[in-house]
Amino acid sequence: MTTTEPPNGLWCRKAHQSEEVSSHAVSHNVQEENLRQWQKHAQKVKLKALEQVQDQLSDILDKALTDSVQPFTCIHPTVNKKTTMKPSPRSQKLDNGKVFMDRASLLDELFEISHIRTIYHMFIAVLLIFCLSTLAVDFIDQGRLVLEFDLLFFAFGKMGTVTWAWTVMFVYTLLIPYYTLVFWGSLYHSFPSKLVLSLGTGLILSAIQTCVLSLFPIYVVIENQLPPASRFIVILEQIRFLMKSYSFLRETAPAIMKTTPKEGERPRFPTLSSYLYFLFCPTLIYRESYPRNSHIKWNYVAVTLGRIMGCLFYGYFILVRLCVPVFRPENNQLVSKRTMVLAVFNSILPGIMILLLCFFAFLHCWLNLFGELLRFADRMFYKDWWNSTSFANYYRTWNVVVHDWLYYYGYRDFLWLSGGKFRAAAMLSVFIVSAVVHEYALAMGFGFFYPVMFCLFAVFGVVFNFTMNDKRQSPVFNVVMWACLFLGQGVQVCLYCQEWYAQIHCPRTENSFWELVTPRSWSCSYQR
């Protein structure tokens, strides 16, 4: 059999066509690669342009805000008949302190988006599941369909004692600091020795503050053996009144010292009504006036009250369904490394849920409730802390109300006293003060000293603040931040629950110092 071979010309044409096809494919691939490279370059240019535009818009808004706040008749000091250089808008903003403006809370704006509102509905569904599971367990174990809230009633017991203790602290905070300021201010400019007057008045007021706002709440909590929630109400209100009164004196005293009244005139003091409003409005920075809304939205008030009650019952079900079954001593399990590790990881879910509930119930609902009732227009009580890629940003955005107080009266005053030096020391001092106050509130609220919060805040928090700083912009660091929050909340819930049961089943035998500060769970040998 013979095979027919194509002519040489045909082979040449086919080879030439294949070369054209291959070269065309290579050219197409090169064009696609160039197009991808160009798209990447265009995306980088776009991001850089957006960053520049954002920075420029921020500068423009800062300048517009400063110009609107500062009066146009402001006279700048002159040197040799020449006006000194006007400071930049950012430095003016720093000198003027916090600026309040009309703005809504971030979650209220996000809840307008249906996708975000669905996440909120998911949490409501989980609450309903908690209720149904509790009903089912009670029906199976005891044959009844009744929801009992005995733990909730126990936690909020002795509310009569809480009410009269709060009344004493409130009346004192309203009258004594205010009239002490009026007394000191009326004599300041005419007194022979301003330093003696200021030191004497400050020492007397500090002694009274120590007795009424420091020792009195502690005495009430310990002497009356208040339950946990009632303890937290008294202690947190004690801290709030101390911070409020300090802000009032810190903001008004320098203004009185700088303003010398004309002959025959009395110094100008803030009105008692403005101070009374400040004691209830949701901010810790005193101003004689704040931006106000035109009316109260009562539907918003009712919904917010319902949310607060829902968060209260949510927290109750988390403790009853996820914490008590794990840590109650009836489990008859000896404490070991294995059970400790399992307990920590079993506490992560209730821990993070309690953290989110505390944020939503207090920083959003409770503060917005008082803001709405008082027509307080500046509702920026928090920022988008959940998007943080650094712990430095998380600490700034989690609780803006407390952060502002720490920044203006702690960090910035420290820098002012040190001449603008030692910024790291100023930041560290603010961390230590915040950690001590947090640990004090937990120790007084639970009735025992177990410095878990202090260690996590003052040790790990400081390390994370300086290592995971604002330079970390990758989404990976947002995952790291959430993982640390999950683990930290699990450790806190686990250790505090263990110590709570250890305090019950292994009470103290003496009241020595080391007996009071040593955790009972370290030496208690009861079976869990």
Side-chain angles (χ1 to χ4, degrees):
M1 179 181 291
T2 61
T3 58
T4 59
E5 296 181 359
N8 294 332
L10 183 60
W11 278 112
C12 292
R13 285 196 300 272
K14 288 186 176 181
H16 181 68
Q17 290 176 357
S18 62
E19 289 178 357
E20 288 182 350
V21 171
S22 61
S23 63
H24 179 72
V26 171
S27 176
H28 181 69
N29 292 334
V30 171
Q31 290 179 357
E32 287 185 349
E33 181 64 24
N34 291 336
L35 180 60
R36 283 194 295 268
Q37 294 293 335
W38 173 253
Q39 288 176 347
K40 291 181 180 179
H41 177 70
Q43 187 69 19
K44 292 181 181 179
V45 173
K46 174 185 175 182
L47 292 176
K48 290 182 179 180
L50 289 176
E51 290 178 358
Q52 293 177 357
V53 170
Q54 185 176 1
D55 292 338
Q56 292 177 358
L57 285 176
S58 178
D59 292 336
I60 293 173
L61 290 175
D62 285 343
K63 185 177 185 306
L65 179 62
T66 304
D67 293 341
S68 65
V69 173
Q70 291 291 329
F72 292 102
T73 58
C74 179
I75 301 175
H76 299 283
T78 58
V79 179
N80 296 330
K81 297 182 181 181
K82 292 183 180 180
T83 305
T84 58
M85 183 179 296
K86 187 177 179 181
S88 64
R90 292 186 182 275
S91 63
Q92 283 187 357
K93 183 178 180 180
L94 182 64
D95 294 336
N96 293 329
K98 181 177 175 63
V99 177
F100 293 89
M101 62 185 68
D102 189 348
R103 49 192 168 186
S105 290
L106 184 56
L107 282 184
D108 284 336
E109 295 179 344
L110 291 177
F111 283 158
E112 298 295 328
I113 305 173
S114 60
H115 303 289
I116 304 298
R117 195 164 57 247
T118 299
I119 300 176
Y120 171 69
H121 295 160
M122 291 167 59
F123 276 89
I124 297 178
V126 174
L127 176 59
L128 296 177
I129 295 299
F130 272 131
C131 294
L132 292 176
S133 66
T134 304
L135 286 172
V137 170
D138 289 344
F139 179 76
I140 294 173
D141 292 343
Q142 303 179 11
R144 59 180 181 178
L145 290 173
V146 179
L147 287 174
E148 292 186 352
F149 302 101
D150 49 347
L151 181 61
L152 196 63
F153 291 132
F154 160 73
F156 286 92
K158 299 184 179 180
M159 289 303 296
T161 304
V162 174
T163 302
W164 73 261
W166 182 89
T167 304
V168 171
M169 291 190 294
F170 167 72
V171 173
Y172 165 81
T173 307
L174 175 64
L175 299 179
I176 302 303
Y178 179 81
Y179 286 107
T180 300
L181 177 77
V182 172
F183 169 79
W184 168 82
S186 61
L187 299 177
Y188 179 79
H189 294 284
S190 60
F191 203 78
S193 177
K194 295 180 175 60
L195 180 61
V196 172
L197 175 66
S198 299
L199 287 177
T201 307
L203 290 175
I204 294 174
L205 180 61
S206 299
I208 302 175
Q209 289 270 89
T210 302
C211 294
V212 180
L213 285 186
S214 296
L215 299 179
F216 171 72
I218 297 176
Y219 172 80
V220 171
V221 164
I222 296 177
E223 183 67 20
N224 294 277
Q225 292 296 307
L226 296 181
S230 300
R231 283 172 172 257
F232 276 111
I233 293 174
V234 174
I235 297 302
L236 293 179
E237 284 297 282
Q238 171 201 24
I239 297 172
R240 186 178 72 91
F241 284 137
L242 283 170
M243 297 173 75
K244 290 263 190 179
S245 59
Y246 180 84
S247 176
F248 171 71
L249 296 173
R250 174 65 179 79
E251 293 289 341
T252 54
I256 294 175
M257 295 171 65
K258 294 177 182 178
T259 305
T260 303
K262 297 180 180 179
E263 187 175 355
E265 292 183 356
R266 296 189 61 186
R268 180 183 176 275
F269 302 107
T271 61
L272 183 61
S273 60
S274 66
Y275 180 47
L276 175 63
Y277 180 86
F278 168 65
L279 289 181
F280 286 98
C281 70
T283 181
L284 295 174
I285 306 296
Y286 174 77
R287 295 289 184 269
E288 288 194 49
S289 62
Y290 300 93
R292 306 280 292 274
N293 294 327
S294 58
H295 62 283
I296 300 175
K297 295 181 291 186
W298 291 106
N299 290 336
Y300 184 85
V301 172
V303 171
T304 306
L305 277 174
R307 288 173 174 173
I308 294 174
M309 296 302 297
C311 291
L312 190 62
F313 288 106
Y314 215 136
Y316 169 80
F317 284 118
I318 289 174
L319 291 175
V320 170
R321 304 300 302 165
L322 300 180
C323 293
V324 173
V326 176
F327 297 101
R328 61 187 173 191
E330 288 78 6
N331 287 335
N332 293 325
Q333 289 182 340
L334 294 175
V335 177
S336 63
K337 293 181 180 179
R338 177 182 179 276
T339 57
M340 177 63 72
V341 172
L342 291 177
V344 169
F345 282 96
N346 286 332
S347 302
I348 287 179
L349 178 59
I352 200 65
M353 293 183 72
I354 290 174
L355 177 71
L356 296 176
L357 279 177
C358 290
F359 160 73
F360 184 73
F362 179 73
L363 292 176
H364 180 73
C365 296
W366 184 260
L367 296 182
N368 271 294
L369 174 65
F370 275 86
E372 190 64 36
L373 291 174
L374 296 174
R375 297 189 291 115
F376 186 82
D378 194 341
R379 309 289 180 84
M380 194 185 70
F381 308 129
Y382 53 88
K383 297 180 182 178
D384 58 335
W385 58 269
W386 47 86
N387 292 326
S388 299
T389 56
S390 67
F391 273 89
N393 185 70
Y394 167 74
Y395 292 135
R396 288 194 302 266
T397 55
W398 162 261
N399 188 342
V400 174
V401 178
V402 175
H403 171 267
D404 287 340
W405 194 94
L406 292 172
Y407 173 76
Y408 288 108
Y409 305 138
Y411 178 79
R412 217 172 65 158
D413 283 357
F414 187 99
L415 291 180
W416 175 72
L417 292 173
S418 63
K421 304 176 181 179
F422 312 112
R423 291 183 178 272
M427 187 180 300
L428 183 61
S429 65
V430 170
F431 264 97
I432 297 300
V433 170
S434 181
V436 169
V437 173
H438 278 80
E439 186 57 43
Y440 164 76
L442 290 178
M444 295 303 302
F446 290 133
F448 54 78
F449 177 74
Y450 199 5
V452 180
M453 169 66 79
F454 181 82
C455 293
L456 292 176
F457 206 127
V459 179
F460 295 99
V462 172
V463 173
F464 287 145
N465 181 74
F466 286 100
T467 55
M468 288 185 60
N469 49 38
D470 292 330
K471 296 180 181 179
R472 315 295 185 183
Q473 299 294 331
S474 172
V476 175
F477 291 101
N478 183 250
V479 177
V480 173
M481 186 207 74
W482 274 105
C484 293
L485 286 180
F486 274 70
L487 187 59
Q489 289 301 117
V491 170
Q492 289 188 70
V493 170
C494 174
L495 295 182
Y496 280 123
C497 287
Q498 287 183 349
E499 183 65 20
W500 175 267
Y501 282 112
Q503 291 284 333
I504 294 175
H505 293 276
C506 298
R508 293 191 301 266
T509 57
E510 56 184 24
N511 289 327
S512 64
F513 174 77
W514 292 111
E515 188 78 9
L516 292 174
V517 299
T518 303
R520 299 298 301 159
S521 57
W522 291 2
S523 58
C524 186
S525 60
Y526 77 95
Q527 290 185 334
R528 292 178 54 254

